[in-house]
Amino acid sequence: MVDLPQLPDDPSKLAREPLREQIRQVLVEGLLSGRWQPGERIVERRVATELKVSQAPVREALRELETLRLIETVPNKGARVRAFGVQDMAEIYPVRAGLELVAAQLAAPRLAQDPSPLEREVEALRDATARGDVTDQIRHSVEFHREVVRAANNSVLLHTWESLGVEVWTALSVRWLDMELHAKAVDHAQITKAFREGDPSVGRLLSDHVLNYVEAALKTHEGRH
């Protein structure tokens, strides 16, 4: 059995990230690493014991992963891993693209006046790419899109977008399918420029950029089979 990673010892990080979120990240890493295979149970009590936490935050993290369709709860048997894959991405990304199209249209006036949140993420993504830090590449790539959605200033839109688990599915895309995020950094710079210049087609530019994720994933998947 592969041991689960330990939660961080840094108290400041514990304060910044809810315990549930940290546990969710640990569980996702377990799924990515193959510790839990499709159909296999994830025993709440065992995870809590290994991480030295109570069962409550583990249960909350499992519920979030069920919402993301990574696991499923079977009556009288608990949580088990779903046989998720590229087809799940093919369903999620068009929904995400539609949400970000709306977000871009709502956010355009605000980001034309102040594109600095996007510019910061573009630079951070470039830096992470130069360092070869895949974890940071994922984080800053997702945060770029989150900044667009935030700038739309619509809480329903933001909540719906967050519910898609963009970080998780981006990580899966990178780990499963060798998706190259440095290529996406170029797109991000172009999208930022479009916002800065008030380009009326920026929404479609952003939407197409999101859809390209799943198109590339499907092509890679087909090439391996």
Side-chain angles (χ1 to χ4, degrees):
M1 178 184 293
V2 179
D3 290 335
L4 282 169
Q6 295 297 309
L7 294 173
D9 296 324
D10 182 358
S12 65
K13 188 167 186 179
L14 284 171
R16 289 195 302 271
E17 295 186 25
L19 185 58
R20 179 198 72 254
E21 174 63 22
Q22 295 179 64
I23 294 169
R24 187 183 81 161
Q25 291 173 7
V26 169
L27 292 173
V28 168
E29 283 300 318
L31 296 175
L32 290 170
S33 69
R35 175 191 174 160
W36 292 292
Q37 297 296 320
E40 187 175 350
R41 288 184 63 203
I42 300 179
V43 183
E44 182 183 301
R45 184 184 300 107
R46 187 179 301 161
V47 173
T49 299
E50 291 186 28
L51 294 179
K52 300 178 182 179
V53 297
S54 69
Q55 287 182 232
V58 176
R59 189 176 305 121
E60 291 174 0
L62 287 171
R63 284 173 181 163
E64 288 191 13
L65 295 184
E66 185 173 16
T67 300
L68 296 178
R69 302 191 304 164
L70 298 177
I71 67 169
E72 57 189 355
T73 300
V74 181
N76 303 319
K77 292 186 178 180
R80 71 179 183 185
V81 181
R82 277 189 70 243
F84 55 85
V86 174
Q87 188 55 44
D88 292 278
M89 293 173 56
E91 294 179 2
I92 289 168
Y93 274 76
V95 175
R96 177 184 163 190
L99 292 174
E100 294 196 24
L101 172 61
V102 174
Q105 292 169 342
L106 293 174
R110 187 172 289 105
L111 291 174
Q113 291 182 347
D114 181 16
S116 60
L118 303 185
E119 293 168 346
R120 282 194 298 270
E121 295 306 326
V122 168
E123 288 305 313
L125 179 53
R126 284 173 175 158
D127 178 65
T129 301
R131 290 184 284 106
D133 189 329
V134 175
T135 299
D136 268 4
Q137 286 183 64
I138 292 170
R139 182 161 62 88
H140 291 296
S141 179
V142 172
E143 194 60 28
F144 175 91
H145 291 268
R146 181 176 283 113
E147 289 292 355
V148 174
V149 180
R150 282 177 181 151
N153 199 27
N154 184 305
S155 60
V156 174
L157 182 61
L158 178 60
H159 175 77
T160 305
W161 185 87
E162 294 284 6
S163 74
L164 296 178
V166 175
E167 289 99 335
V168 172
W169 287 105
T170 301
L172 290 171
S173 301
V174 172
R175 304 290 179 84
W176 281 348
L177 303 164
D178 301 324
M179 185 175 71
E180 297 182 344
L181 286 174
H182 69 267
K184 299 301 178 185
V186 176
D187 286 357
H188 287 183
Q190 292 173 343
I191 292 165
T192 300
K193 181 174 182 288
F195 273 117
R196 187 189 304 114
E197 296 178 352
D199 186 339
S201 66
V202 67
R204 181 55 57 190
L205 187 65
L206 181 62
S207 176
D208 288 347
H209 161 75
V210 171
L211 289 174
N212 284 340
Y213 279 96
V214 73
E215 289 173 4
L218 289 171
K219 287 180 182 177
T220 301
H221 180 71
E222 289 169 0
R224 293 177 179 178
H225 291 79

